[in-house]
Every structure is written in structure tokens, then in C-alpha cells.
């Protein structure tokens, strides 16, 4: 509860969480929130300016920009979040097994991770797309196949800090099963680390999926996605800059909100960072008091 209170005390973190929550809800209920069909073509409204009926104007096919922006939340955020959850789940299982059992199990699992991580992420993604073909689903598959190894290595390091703790040794001494120890004692203490690395990776995955869609490797027309909206507006970026500004600003705002919320979670969930933050605030307050005292004198 104290950790949640610390988050609520940070106004920017609350604003970031509100932006993410509202955007997620809008994406889930897109058919009810979007004012128009995102794929409905009106050539007579081609590049029409903003109006009361079309608040963000129309694109090169007369489609509603606002509706496409709202429907674009699904592939740009919700499906990316699903891929993140799957990657974190696989990585957590592998990381916990490697960090708890160590020995040959750790050596084998980490060698598999080393092989995957030895290639740059973008190169591996492009290779998988080349094998499976262009498409949004294939990019999601590529993310899962690549990201889990990175999560596994980080979570393994976290698990190794607790695997030799006294309460774990005591549980082994009284005959508790390895599975029971991992579920009751290891997983709960690693959840803060998992939450931090997951939230910090979420923003980068949104940028990556938007980048691949901008290159034409992701979601295909006529479906809506933020990166593809940027690609479609590229030809009129000088004559109609607002066409690129709308999806571009959306990506910037969402990723910035996720990154700031991730930083806040890291500070709140890490006692060392929280202590350092309080000490820094105390020094700043003391310095301000001294300055005020000198000014009064």
C-alpha cells in the first residue's frame, strides 16, 4: 500500500498512468469509441481539414483519421502488450529454473539464451520475417522468439540473489518441494524486478512495431496502425504535415508516459533507490532552509 501511495504522490506518474489507462480502454472499446468506420473510403473528403464530424480530418482516401488512430491502439499497444506478456512468461520460467537449480540446468539454458542474444534484435526480427513472410502476426512471433531470452537472463540474475537465502534453505530442510519453494518464496520476491523490466521494454516494443509498420513489414492495409499511418502520410509530409503529426505525437506521448511510469515503478519498488531519493529530497529541503535563513538574516 505504501508503494502505491508513493506512486500517487507523483503527479507526472499519475498523469502517465491516466494516459495509458484511457488509451487502453479506448483501444479495447474501439468500435464504440471511434466515430466512424476506420476503413470506410470517402474520396470526396480526400485530405479534408478537421471538422466537427471529422475532428482530425481525413487521409488520402477520405478515411477518418481519429477512427484510424483509435483502432490503431489495438495492434500498436494491445497486441504488443500480449506479446510482452508471453515473452515475460517464457523468460520468467526459464530464468527461475536456471537461477534456482544452477549447475547443468543453468549452463544449458543460458547457452541457449546466449545463442539467441548473440544476434542483434533487429537482424533476427528481419530474418524471421524473411522466413515467415511479411505481416503483423509474424512480427509478434519474432518478438516472442527473441525477447524471452533477454528476460530470462535478467530474471535469472534476480533469482540467484534469493535462491541461497536462509528461508529458502529452511524450506528445503523441512522437506518442501522445489516447485513449492519457487512458487511461494522465489517468484514473489522477483515480481518487482519483472514488473520494472516489463514496463521498460513495453515502450521500446511499441517503437519497434511502429518502425516495422512504417517500413511496410508490419500490419497491412486497410487495417489501421500508427506506424502505417506515418508511412501513408509520408508523401504529403510537407503539404499536409498534420497527417504525420497526429500519429507521430501519439507514439511520442504514449511511449513517454510508459517510460516515465517505468522509472517511477523502479524507484518505488527498489528500496535503495527510494532511500536515495528521500535523502536527495532531504538535502534539497535543508539547502533551501539554509538559504531562507541567510536571506532572513
Amino acid at each position: 500500500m505504501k508503494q502505491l501511495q508513493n506512486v500517487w504522490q507523483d503527479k507526472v506518474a499519475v498523469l502517465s498512468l491516466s494516459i495509458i489507462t484511457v488509451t487502453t480502454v479506448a483501444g479495447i472499446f474501439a468500435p464504440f469509441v471511434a466515430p466512424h468506420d476506420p476503413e470506410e473510403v470517402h474520396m470526396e473528403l480526400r485530405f479534408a481539414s478537421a471538422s466537427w464530424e471529422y475532428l482530425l480530418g481525413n487521409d488520402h482516401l477520405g478515411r477518418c483519421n481519429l477512427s484510424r488512430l483509435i483502432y490503431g491502439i489495438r495492434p500498436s499497444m494491445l497486441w504488443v502488450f500480449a506479446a510482452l506478456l508471453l515473452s515475460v512468461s517464457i523468460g520468467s520460467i526459464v530464468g527461475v529454473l536456471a537461477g534456482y537449480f544452477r549447475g547443468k540446468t543453468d549452463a544449458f539454458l543460458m547457452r541457449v539464451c546466449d545463442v539467441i542474444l548473440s544476434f542483434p534484435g533487429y537482424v533476427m526480427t528481419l530474418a524471421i520475417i524473411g522466413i515467415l513472410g511479411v505481416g503483423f502476426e509474424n512480427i509478434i512471433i519474432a518478438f516472442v522468439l527473441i525477447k524471452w531470452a533477454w528476460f530470462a537472463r535478467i530474471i535469472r540474475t534476480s533469482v540467484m540473489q534469493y535462491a541461497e537465502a536462509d528461508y529458502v534453505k529452511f524450506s528445503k530442510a523441512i522437506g518442501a518441494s522445489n516447485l513449492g519453494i519457487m512458487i511461494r518464496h522465489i517468484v514473489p520476491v522477483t515480481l518487482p524486478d519483472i514488473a520494472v523490466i516489463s514496463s521498460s521494454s513495453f515502450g521500446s516494443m511499441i517503437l519497434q512495431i511502429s518502425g516495422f509498420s512504417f517500413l511496410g513489414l508490419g500490419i497491412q492495409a486497410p487495417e489501421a496502425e500508427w506506424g502505417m499511418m506515418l508511412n501513408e502520410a509520408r508523401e504529403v509530409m510537407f503539404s499536409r504535415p498534420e497527417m504525420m503529426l497526429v500519429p507521430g505525437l501519439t507514439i511520442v506521448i504514449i511511449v513517454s508516459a510508459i517510460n516515465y511510469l517505468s522509472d517511477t515503478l523502479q524507484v518505488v519498488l527498489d528500496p535503495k533507490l527510494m532511500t536515495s531519493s528521500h535523502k536527495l529530497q532531504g538535502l534539497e529541503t535543508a539547502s533551501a532552509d539554509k538559504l531562507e535563513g541567510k536571506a532572513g538574516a
Side-chain angles (χ1 to χ4, degrees), residues 13-257:
V14 173
L15 177 61
S16 300
L17 181 60
S18 302
I19 292 173
I20 296 170
T21 303
V22 171
T23 305
T24 302
V25 172
I28 294 173
F29 298 100
F32 305 99
V33 176
H36 301 281
D37 185 347
E39 301 178 9
E40 188 176 356
V41 176
H42 297 280
M43 293 305 294
E44 69 278 7
L45 297 175
R46 188 169 182 264
F47 294 127
S49 301
S51 62
W52 286 111
E53 185 176 1
Y54 298 95
L55 296 178
L56 295 179
N58 303 74
D59 64 3
H60 63 293
L61 294 177
R63 298 172 297 189
C64 176
N65 283 328
L66 177 59
S67 299
R68 292 183 64 78
L69 197 71
I70 293 174
Y71 271 85
I73 297 171
R74 292 184 169 186
S76 299
M77 280 190 65
L78 302 185
W79 282 109
V80 171
F81 184 70
L84 176 66
L85 284 181
L86 185 56
S87 302
V88 171
S89 299
I90 298 173
S92 298
I93 294 172
V94 174
V96 170
L97 291 176
Y100 180 80
F101 289 107
R102 301 189 180 186
K104 294 181 179 179
T105 303
D106 180 30
F108 173 74
L109 294 175
M110 287 304 101
R111 293 303 76 76
V112 175
C113 293
D114 289 341
V115 171
I116 296 176
L117 295 174
S118 62
F119 298 95
Y122 280 102
V123 174
M124 284 290 292
T125 304
L126 291 173
I128 294 174
I129 293 173
I131 297 172
L132 300 179
V134 174
F136 181 76
E137 297 83 0
N138 295 336
I139 292 181
I140 295 297
I141 293 173
F143 278 177
V144 175
L145 292 177
I146 296 170
K147 298 289 184 181
W148 73 267
W150 184 76
F151 290 120
R153 181 165 285 281
I154 295 179
I155 294 169
R156 166 202 178 247
T157 303
S158 177
V159 170
M160 291 179 69
Q161 299 176 1
Y162 306 104
E164 297 298 325
D166 292 336
Y167 58 87
V168 174
K169 294 179 179 179
F170 179 76
S171 298
K172 291 180 180 179
I174 62 176
S177 63
N178 290 324
L179 180 61
I181 294 174
M182 286 187 285
I183 293 176
R184 294 180 182 179
H185 301 299
I186 301 298
V187 173
V189 295
T190 59
L191 284 178
D193 294 332
I194 294 174
V196 170
I197 62 174
S198 300
S199 58
S200 62
S201 299
F202 189 27
S204 65
M205 291 178 68
I206 292 176
L207 288 176
Q208 290 175 15
I209 197 71
S210 298
F212 283 117
S213 295
F214 178 78
L215 295 174
L217 301 176
I219 197 166
Q220 302 297 306
E223 296 184 27
E225 198 276 333
W226 297 340
M228 191 178 68
M229 291 178 68
L230 284 172
N231 186 23
E232 292 174 342
R234 183 176 52 181
E235 297 180 358
V236 292
M237 61 183 300
F238 295 109
S239 59
R240 306 284 300 187
E242 68 275 9
M243 297 295 296
M244 294 195 75
L245 192 64
V246 170
L249 277 178
T250 302
I251 295 173
V252 170
I253 292 173
I254 293 299
V255 173
S256 298

